[in-house]
Amino acid sequence: MFKNAIVRIPCPEMIEGLSSASLGKPDYKKALDQHASYVDALQSCGLEVKVLKADSRFPDSTFVEDVALCTPGCAIVTNPGAPSRNGEKQEMEPVLQAFYERMESITAPGTLDAGDVMMVGKLFYIGLSKRTNREGADQLIRILERYGMSGSTVPLNDMLHLKSGISYLEQNKLLVTGEFNDHPAFAGFQKIEVDPDEAYAANSLWINSAVLVPAGFPRTLKKIKQAGYQTIVLDVSEFRKLDGGLSCLSLRF
Ligand code: CIR
């Protein structure tokens, strides 16, 4: 169960955030409203939410998930792989120090975005992507092992981040799409497959027995409900324009 979440209000400069999508620029006002609904949803799942101020120096800074990994034993500040985002880590460190006694970090030449890290109990799957390199993953595995946890790497072909295409919904269930449907690393899980035209919804978010699902993906929503989960549907259209999804908008621990 998670008790806490950390989020950051999007800044007006988000309209210049990194994007590989061809969905146009985000509408800032709409993004603020969607972000507020996201915070409400986290609170309705029982989380205490720390809301950080917008940081105009970093257009993508609302995607806090990438700059830290919160584990039961320690918080790990990452070394984000996109140069325009790398400075976000300095802002997150003091915030996490208020919650964690044990802090660790990923350092150059290692790079790692925690959007590439999926927690399954004490095992962490780490996507090797354009943002997360082998050195960053190896550093993370060494840190995890010191705290009685472990890590395993998964090379990515098509996705920005590991969790762009896969989400752990607890109870040994994975929501998967694309390259993860038949991936040998995930053979032991029960899989809920997301259709290619609903691929964005593979980034749904389990929080304390509910699953947050992005609006606009009815077949995926139905499958998640049929698997027995309570669901909360949230419109995150403006974050999707920047390749961001539901998990990217918070740290949960
Ligand atoms: C980026 O490219 O870094 C942002 N525009 C989106 C980050 C999404 N984060 C995530 O998947 N964890």
Side-chain angles (χ1 to χ4, degrees), residues 113-163:
D113 280 13
D116 276 319
V117 185
M118 181 175 75
M119 178 172 77
V120 177
K122 287 185 168 181
L123 170 61
F124 292 73
Y125 290 93
I126 308 162
L128 297 176
S129 67
K130 291 198 180 76
R131 302 287 178 86
T132 297
N133 63 17
R134 169 69 59 181
E135 166 64 22
D138 286 346
Q139 285 183 28
L140 178 57
I141 291 169
R142 285 197 293 272
I143 295 167
L144 291 169
E145 287 176 350
R146 277 199 274 120
Y147 288 87
M149 300 176 279
S150 61
S152 173
T153 55
V154 183
L156 305 189
N157 300 318
D158 312 328
M159 311 276 174
L160 170 65
H161 286 125
L162 177 70
K163 282 186 290 187

Side-chain angles (χ1 to χ4, degrees), residues 33-47 49 51 212 232 234:
D33 290 346
Q34 291 179 351
H35 195 265
S37 301
Y38 179 79
V39 171
D40 287 348
L42 296 182
Q43 286 168 336
S44 76
C45 294
L47 299 189
V49 185
V51 181
L212 277 49
I232 301 175
L234 286 172

Side-chain angles (χ1 to χ4, degrees), residues 219-233:
R219 274 171 283 129
T220 307
L221 179 65
K222 195 167 162 195
K223 287 181 190 178
I224 296 171
K225 282 184 172 167
Q226 278 170 347
Y229 295 97
Q230 239 189 289
T231 54
I232 301 175
V233 176

Side-chain angles (χ1 to χ4, degrees), residues 125 172 174 180-191:
Y125 290 93
N172 201 42
L174 277 180
F180 302 125
N181 287 344
D182 300 310
H183 198 294
F186 305 113
F189 292 92
Q190 251 179 280
K191 294 196 201 82

Side-chain angles (χ1 to χ4, degrees), residues 18 60 63 65-66 85 115 131 160-161 164 242-244 248:
L18 297 173
D60 286 292
F63 300 113
E65 172 175 69
D66 294 316
R85 300 201 58 193
R131 302 287 178 86
L160 170 65
H161 286 125
S164 311
L242 300 178
D243 303 326
C248 320

